[in-house]
Amino acid sequence: MMRHLCGRLLGVLLCLGVVAPVAAQSGYTQTRHPIVLVHGLLGFDSLLGVYDYWYGIPSQLRSGGATVYVASVAAANSSAVRGEQLIRDLDHLRALYGHGKFNLIGHSHGGPTIRYVASVRPDLVASITSVGAPHKGSKVADALNTALPPGSPLRPLVAGFVDALGGFLGFLSGNSDPQHALGALASLNTAGSNAFNALHPQGIPTSSCGQGASVVNGVRYYSIGGTSVLTNIFDASDALLGAGGLFYGFEANDGLVGRCSSHLGVVLRDDYAWNHLDEVNQVLALRGLFASDPVSVLRAQANRLKSAGL
């Protein structure tokens, strides 16, 4: 009798939607391989263990069953150097916990960083997902390179400031990797990106704004991007991104990266109503009123990886 009543009660709760959401989310993000989140330029894993770069995202991925690590590489350095730092950390995780491969998700400069790893160490990588990454360079980086040409007295001063800022962020986040702002600039401008792509072409579209190969060397490639700039009047970072967006003229962009430059592998969507920081749920999850939730989008990507057996 009690079992019958419990069964009827469960049915009522399911109909009312009280139980269904919990059941539906059980294991939703539980990928076969761990997820590793990789920050962009002047990024970090967590400042003093209190404020996360991937704001609110790791916990939500874990809530659905995913094993998640947040990488800690140099805030400012070249794609190759950051990639080698990431390889060091992945090898450490593999030795410590016995992981076979990893699903790498990289934002901004984190995109080329994880591509480097997939290119030189495909044995470590199950999938690559880039978020707002400048795979064909950033016009903002081009403008900085033009404004501060080699030989300019301001070039080493600005680079020194960025190196110091990167070192300070590293100190607050417990990272001691060396900083090299000029290495980052060389990686993120168009010429540097083209040179990098010649060495590591996996997933790069052959057309100006197309899609790239979905699988290379057993690694699956995906990309996501935004095309809004000024998204929330309460977000102080919008002014900076608005200034960056001016360099793109009428080209769709997120304030730092052009829409077509964000393309890699299977382009899941390249026009979310996000600016460059909205893509990682910054600042403090402020974004446009009707914009998609980046946390939900990355949870859906984790579920896609799970469904693909990754």
Side-chain angles (χ1 to χ4, degrees):
M1 180 69 173
M2 181 61 70
R3 192 181 314 170
H4 178 67
L5 289 174
C6 287
R8 291 188 62 184
L9 178 60
L10 178 60
V12 171
L13 290 175
L14 285 170
C15 289
L16 292 175
V18 174
V19 176
V22 177
Q25 297 304 311
S26 178
Y28 181 73
T29 61
Q30 193 170 349
T31 55
R32 175 185 176 190
H33 303 290
I35 292 172
V36 179
L37 304 173
V38 183
H39 64 74
L41 177 67
L42 294 180
F44 45 86
D45 53 356
S46 181
L47 295 180
L48 299 175
V50 174
Y51 190 79
D52 295 339
Y53 179 89
W54 298 83
Y55 189 74
I57 293 172
S59 61
Q60 287 300 308
L61 291 174
R62 292 179 182 124
S63 71
T67 297
V68 181
Y69 300 103
V70 183
S72 178
V73 298
N77 215 313
S78 70
S79 301
V81 169
R82 283 165 46 98
E84 288 294 334
Q85 293 165 356
L86 182 56
I87 288 172
R88 169 201 66 198
D89 293 347
L90 296 179
D91 276 333
H92 179 71
L93 289 172
R94 179 188 256 186
L96 200 60
Y97 300 110
H99 300 310
K101 295 186 175 185
F102 301 88
N103 293 303
L104 305 181
I105 301 179
H107 174 242
S108 190
H109 197 189
T113 302
I114 61 177
R115 284 177 49 210
Y116 176 88
V117 177
S119 176
V120 304
R121 287 290 306 276
D123 61 297
L124 286 172
V125 185
S127 73
I128 292 291
T129 302
S130 77
V131 182
H135 298 298
K136 293 190 176 180
S138 167
K139 289 187 178 180
V140 177
D142 290 343
L144 287 172
N145 201 42
T146 300
L148 301 169
S152 164
L154 286 178
R155 189 177 177 95
L157 292 177
V158 174
F161 171 78
V162 176
D163 285 342
L165 178 58
F168 180 65
L169 292 171
F171 171 75
L172 293 180
S173 60
N175 179 276
S176 59
D177 287 319
Q179 311 295 323
H180 187 206
L182 293 180
L185 180 61
S187 291
L188 295 171
N189 63 39
T190 299
S193 295
N194 289 339
F196 182 83
N197 292 341
L199 294 173
H200 311 287
Q202 298 88 344
I204 289 293
T206 54
S207 61
S208 62
C209 201
Q211 301 202 40
S214 60
V215 182
V216 184
N217 295 330
V219 179
R220 298 203 184 203
Y221 287 80
Y222 305 89
S223 59
I224 298 168
T227 52
S228 292
V229 180
L230 303 175
T231 60
N232 192 301
I233 61 173
F234 299 106
D235 188 345
S237 68
D238 274 25
L240 178 62
L241 294 172
L246 295 175
F247 292 103
Y248 286 89
F250 294 105
E251 179 185 350
N253 68 95
D254 66 6
L256 289 179
V257 177
R259 179 175 70 89
C260 296
S261 186
S262 73
H263 286 199
L264 180 77
V266 176
V267 180
L268 299 173
R269 184 173 170 182
D270 64 359
D271 62 348
Y272 281 105
W274 300 334
N275 65 28
H276 198 65
L277 292 182
D278 294 339
E279 292 159 355
V280 287
N281 210 30
Q282 293 288 352
V283 172
L284 296 171
L286 293 172
R287 60 181 184 276
L289 183 61
F290 300 107
S292 301
D293 179 3
V295 178
S296 296
V297 170
L298 288 179
R299 279 174 55 83
Q301 174 60 358
N303 181 257
R304 183 179 289 107
L305 298 176
K306 173 191 174 181
S307 298
L310 303 174

